[in-house]
Amino acid sequence: MENPDKTRLKSATLRRARGGSGRVKLDEVAELAGVSTATVSRAFNEPEKVSEAVRDRVMEAANALNWIPNAAGRALASSRTHIAGAIIPTLDNEIFAHQISGMQSVFAEHGFTLFLGCSNYDPAEGLKQVQAMLARGVEALAIVGENHPQELFDALRSRKVPYVVTYSYRQGSPHPSIGFDNGAAFREIVEHLLSLGHRRFAAIFQPEANNDRVKARLDGMRSALAKSNLAVATGDLCIGTSTMEFGAESFRLLMNRAADLRPTAIVCGNDNIALGALSAAAEMGLSAPMDFSITGFDDLTISSRLMPHLTTMKVDNQEIGVRAAKSLLSVINGDVTSPISVELKAQLKVRVSTGPLQRQ
Amino acid sequence: MENPDKTRLKSATLRRARGGSGRVKLDEVAELAGVSTATVSRAFNEPEKVSEAVRDRVMEAANALNWIPNAAGRALASSRTHIAGAIIPTLDNEIFAHQISGMQSVFAEHGFTLFLGCSNYDPAEGLKQVQAMLARGVEALAIVGENHPQELFDALRSRKVPYVVTYSYRQGSPHPSIGFDNGAAFREIVEHLLSLGHRRFAAIFQPEANNDRVKARLDGMRSALAKSNLAVATGDLCIGTSTMEFGAESFRLLMNRAADLRPTAIVCGNDNIALGALSAAAEMGLSAPMDFSITGFDDLTISSRLMPHLTTMKVDNQEIGVRAAKSLLSVINGDVTSPISVELKAQLKVRVSTGPLQRQ
DNA sequence: ATCCGGCATGTAAGCGCTTACAACCTCTTG
DNA sequence: CAAGAGGTTGTAAGCGCTTACATGCCGGAT
């Protein structure tokens, strides 16, 4: 008889004066299906070990009761949580949002749920978030950059939680990383500008404190300039918040000078800052590449649409997220013992905001 | 004696050949501190119930062993998970990212961790994410919009998980909502344009399928126009993806006509589309508000910086996230039985992209 | 007919915490 | 000085699952 007998159903349905969480539990599904709890568990987790007839009966019962397994019970019994974590500085930046979006879709496909933490560029906050995630039993973690308290990495290591550093890749880093070489990227930008004949450089950057990526970018810029015996003068280096406002403000500072004191090339720490500078330029009646050349970094969606189209470096952050998730999953599945580092190349997008030196 | 005796410490530290998760557990902290497991639990969860001396001893032991409580065990025993969930369409949109950022910071402050799910505008995917979150025992959930399968809301209700609909607010909605009235907002935009003398309207919108907000916007626009016996002609309504590309393409379509066939006012479904249209305008040598007026919606960061500054409606999405989180927390804490709906006002930002009708 | 291997299912012991209840101790109070 | 109040700590029973191990069954080999 395929028909589950009515009396059993009734007894399971009526006995609803339950304590605890108040939710339907596996026992009740087992009772209704007329099997043991072990069988219900197997029907869901190792279906091939259960005969088809029984499996169908279990599924039917589970549906009838609208049962959703309790993840806490499952986690406790199996020491598997199917949760992964990601720590990023902030969601207010398109590039990190893209990374999360990539990770989340891959993880969701594999039955993992993603915990999100934002550090707001505060290492202490990042550590706190990681601890919260460890308490929640994340099975793997992705974290942007390597500029974090040693304690954070120690905690991950001592609990054997696999992790990858995302967004930045550095030769000789002690951490598995998936990202690109920030220094090399900025060397390439500077070389592009040098090849156009520029010699007087200014820079507008976000703060380098607690941010290995910005440090590497500044270093990359400086080393490329140094090769040509050039440097950014103190007065031509602006450091401030990563906002369009700051970009605009800095641009005014740099360009409200006699023509021969102005920089001809302006290297910005990211697109956002560069976009701000360009908006100030428009207001001042200056325009690239006639009056100056300017570069960004990130290739935000808007950067290739805005006039003048911004010369910048493109990084596929979604791809970074996808790769990070896949890599972590393969460690979780035991395919490899540790995530393998991958260096992606940032791609120089030469657009109209840079051009040959106009004034000598 | 304040000094925990060394032998106890040793025995706890050495017995590390543990099965299970392999992590340090509460028992060991209790043993090292020389108290019962109940006391350790209380020292962390209800510190006021434990004498100071004992509390210190427990904390010391916990630190020494580097103990992090196992959330699954805790959840199982207390039927509290301290997890909340948020479902948004996509992170690729600044406005939703801001909402998440607001929620996450409030929740983190209160010891809650946030599960993030993206539906990519697919109702089935949204339902799946909600089910995964229910399995994980989320104590509350925020979900963008009300355009979801009834099954989704039923699942939340039957499990008594408090939820709020965010971003959109509609009179008579059966759900507690925190957001603004999309229809009213677009009525206001249209009235602004009408007051400037415009009579020939075009519209560029994202698809309205599965999106109550877009539906409401279109309705709002139409009803405001109807009051003046106006309408958007079929050929003047462009529906497509919410990208700058589509905005640009549509703009070309609308404006590559004889001057007297062009619309004078273009209402866009959001800033992104409007920004795209403006970039196409620049390429075509047209500019607002001379040759046409255009409006957006969202007030993206860039919209107030870009030339010409875009007339749009500002919505404080971070605030929506903050309010949603606070509201859910107060239900969780039992302060109220259900989240109370809040209507926020979208704010019209008149900038230079709209101006008086130039041609008759 | 007997035995054994392999498969399907059941039994029951936890996983790491919380918490009701009990036990105890120290004061206060009549 | 006995009794009770109030505060601190311990005991132990689960929370809802998974899984090692035991059991029972069937068919083919002996």
Side-chain angles (χ1 to χ4, degrees):
Chain A
M1 288 287 122
E2 212 48 41
N3 192 358
D5 65 342
K6 301 285 165 77
T7 57
R8 251 198 277 125
L9 193 155
K10 205 158 177 191
S11 80
T13 318
L14 286 180
R15 189 193 5 70
R16 194 51 44 91
R18 120 175 37 65
S21 68
R23 285 163 44 170
V24 177
K25 358 188 280 195
L26 181 143
D27 309 19
E28 299 171 40
V29 176
E31 190 185 343
L32 176 56
V35 298
S36 72
T37 60
T39 301
V40 175
S41 175
R42 279 191 289 258
F44 277 85
N45 301 320
E46 306 161 295
E48 72 284 359
K49 290 195 178 171
V50 173
S51 72
E52 201 180 320
V54 172
R55 206 190 312 144
D56 289 349
R57 204 140 41 88
V58 169
M59 295 302 171
E60 211 173 291
N63 280 333
L65 294 178
N66 214 343
W67 177 65
I68 293 187
N70 178 318
R74 193 216 279 253
L76 203 50
S78 66
S79 23
R80 294 285 317 266
T81 57
H82 298 273
I83 295 177
I87 308 271
I88 58 172
T90 169
L91 270 175
D92 294 352
N93 189 327
E94 178 180 321
I95 59 175
F96 299 128
H98 283 163
Q99 185 196 307
I100 295 298
S101 145
M103 292 190 66
Q104 125 97 32
S105 67
V106 173
F107 275 128
E109 240 170 60
H110 292 260
F112 271 69
T113 318
L114 189 65
F115 261 135
L116 174 67
C118 298
S119 69
N120 294 308
Y121 296 98
D122 173 359
E125 182 61 27
L127 178 58
K128 240 174 77 185
Q129 302 264 6
V130 167
Q131 281 166 338
M133 291 192 177
L134 287 173
R136 257 76 193 210
V138 291
E139 294 189 36
L141 195 105
I143 185 163
V144 169
E146 53 176 315
N147 212 179
H148 304 283
Q150 185 55 39
E151 205 182 338
L152 188 158
F153 293 110
D154 289 346
L156 290 171
R157 286 230 181 81
S158 78
R159 286 178 180 76
K160 304 209 192 344
V161 172
Y163 69 91
V164 281
V165 162
T166 57
Y167 199 62
S168 70
Y169 176 93
R170 179 175 62 81
Q171 285 281 352
S173 161
H175 311 294
S177 326
I178 298 181
F180 52 91
D181 184 330
N182 281 276
F186 270 69
R187 262 175 263 132
E188 192 173 346
I189 288 177
V190 169
E191 278 155 18
H192 164 65
L193 290 164
L194 286 169
S195 76
L196 292 168
H198 295 277
R199 289 298 176 268
R200 173 90 194 241
F201 284 75
I204 315 179
F205 270 74
Q206 58 274 52
E208 60 184 311
N210 300 323
N211 195 323
D212 47 302
R213 290 137 282 152
V214 174
K215 282 192 191 98
R217 291 175 191 187
L218 279 166
D219 286 352
M221 175 185 75
R222 287 182 177 129
S223 75
L225 287 174
K227 265 195 224 159
S228 302
N229 292 316
L230 293 172
V232 174
T234 315
D236 292 346
L237 175 63
C238 308
I239 303 276
T241 59
S242 170
T243 58
M244 290 186 67
E245 276 65 33
F246 178 71
E249 185 184 305
S250 303
F251 183 87
R252 280 181 226 113
L253 196 79
L254 292 168
M255 303 299 274
N256 267 332
R257 302 176 178 172
D260 60 334
L261 292 177
R262 292 179 190 161
T264 70
I266 303 177
V267 177
C268 297
N270 63 30
D271 273 15
N272 210 23
I273 290 174
L275 258 22
L278 281 173
S279 78
E283 283 161 10
M284 291 170 69
L286 295 172
S287 74
M290 253 52 86
D291 306 303
F292 63 98
S293 281
I294 189 166
T295 60
F297 192 93
D298 285 339
D299 196 22
L300 300 183
T301 320
I302 192 123
S303 304
S304 56
R305 302 277 347 165
L306 202 64
M307 300 294 288
H309 299 336
L310 182 64
T311 293
T312 187
M313 301 284 287
K314 180 186 179 62
V315 175
D316 190 339
N317 288 289
Q318 175 120 7
E319 174 74 12
I320 289 180
V322 167
R323 289 209 191 208
K326 285 189 179 162
S327 174
L328 290 172
L329 281 169
S330 68
V331 180
I332 289 171
N333 294 334
D335 303 341
V336 296
T337 59
S338 148
I340 23 174
S341 293
V342 178
E343 179 179 3
L344 300 173
K345 288 288 178 198
Q347 213 182 343
L348 181 64
K349 296 279 182 184
V350 178
R351 304 210 182 96
V352 299
S353 78
T354 50
L357 180 63
Q358 303 287 320
R359 305 165 289 125
Q360 321 298 351
Chain B
M1 289 288 121
E2 213 46 43
N3 192 356
D5 66 345
K6 303 285 166 74
T7 56
R8 250 195 279 123
L9 191 155
K10 205 158 175 192
S11 79
T13 318
L14 285 181
R15 187 190 11 66
R16 195 50 44 90
R18 137 178 11 77
S21 69
R23 287 164 41 170
V24 177
K25 0 189 280 194
L26 182 142
D27 308 20
E28 299 171 40
V29 176
E31 189 185 344
L32 176 55
V35 297
S36 71
T37 59
T39 300
V40 175
S41 175
R42 280 192 289 258
F44 277 84
N45 301 319
E46 306 162 294
E48 71 285 357
K49 289 196 178 171
V50 172
S51 73
E52 201 180 320
V54 171
R55 206 192 310 144
D56 290 350
R57 203 139 42 88
V58 169
M59 295 302 170
E60 213 172 289
N63 280 333
L65 295 178
N66 214 342
W67 176 65
I68 293 187
N70 178 318
R74 193 214 279 250
L76 202 50
S78 65
S79 23
R80 295 284 317 265
T81 57
H82 297 273
I83 295 178
I87 308 270
I88 58 173
T90 168
L91 270 175
D92 294 351
N93 190 328
E94 178 180 324
I95 59 174
F96 299 128
H98 283 162
Q99 184 196 309
I100 294 298
S101 147
M103 292 190 67
Q104 123 97 33
S105 69
V106 172
F107 275 128
E109 241 169 58
H110 292 261
F112 271 69
T113 318
L114 189 65
F115 262 134
L116 174 67
C118 297
S119 69
N120 294 309
Y121 295 98
D122 173 0
E125 182 62 26
L127 177 59
K128 240 175 77 184
Q129 302 265 5
V130 167
Q131 281 166 339
M133 291 192 177
L134 287 173
R136 257 76 193 210
V138 291
E139 294 189 36
L141 196 104
I143 185 162
V144 169
E146 52 177 317
N147 213 180
H148 303 282
Q150 185 55 37
E151 205 182 339
L152 187 157
F153 293 110
D154 289 346
L156 290 170
R157 286 231 181 79
S158 78
R159 287 179 180 73
K160 304 210 192 340
V161 172
Y163 69 91
V164 282
V165 162
T166 58
Y167 198 63
S168 69
Y169 176 93
R170 177 174 64 81
Q171 285 280 352
S173 161
H175 311 293
S177 325
I178 298 182
F180 52 90
D181 184 331
N182 282 276
F186 269 69
R187 262 176 263 132
E188 192 173 345
I189 287 177
V190 169
E191 278 155 17
H192 163 65
L193 290 164
L194 286 169
S195 76
L196 291 170
H198 295 278
R199 290 297 175 269
R200 173 89 194 242
F201 284 75
I204 315 180
F205 269 73
Q206 57 273 53
E208 60 184 313
N210 299 323
N211 195 324
D212 48 302
R213 289 137 282 151
V214 174
K215 282 192 191 98
R217 291 177 191 184
L218 279 166
D219 286 352
M221 176 184 75
R222 286 181 177 130
S223 75
L225 286 174
K227 262 195 228 160
S228 302
N229 293 316
L230 294 172
V232 174
T234 315
D236 291 346
L237 175 63
C238 309
I239 303 276
T241 60
S242 170
T243 58
M244 291 186 67
E245 275 66 32
F246 178 71
E249 184 186 307
S250 304
F251 183 88
R252 278 182 228 114
L253 196 77
L254 292 168
M255 303 299 274
N256 266 333
R257 304 177 180 172
D260 59 334
L261 292 178
R262 293 178 190 163
T264 70
I266 303 177
V267 177
C268 298
N270 64 28
D271 274 15
N272 209 24
I273 290 174
L275 258 20
L278 281 173
S279 78
E283 283 161 10
M284 291 170 69
L286 295 171
S287 75
M290 251 52 86
D291 306 303
F292 63 99
S293 280
I294 189 165
T295 61
F297 192 93
D298 286 339
D299 196 21
L300 300 183
T301 319
I302 192 118
S303 303
S304 56
R305 300 279 346 165
L306 203 62
M307 299 297 286
H309 299 336
L310 182 65
T311 293
T312 186
M313 301 284 287
K314 180 186 179 60
V315 175
D316 192 339
N317 288 289
Q318 175 120 7
E319 175 74 12
I320 290 181
V322 167
R323 289 208 191 209
K326 284 187 178 163
S327 174
L328 291 172
L329 281 168
S330 69
V331 180
I332 290 171
N333 294 334
D335 303 341
V336 295
T337 58
S338 148
I340 24 175
S341 293
V342 178
E343 179 179 3
L344 299 173
K345 287 286 177 198
Q347 211 182 344
L348 181 64
K349 297 278 182 185
V350 177
R351 304 212 181 94
V352 299
S353 77
T354 50
L357 180 63
Q358 302 288 322
R359 305 167 287 122
Q360 322 296 350

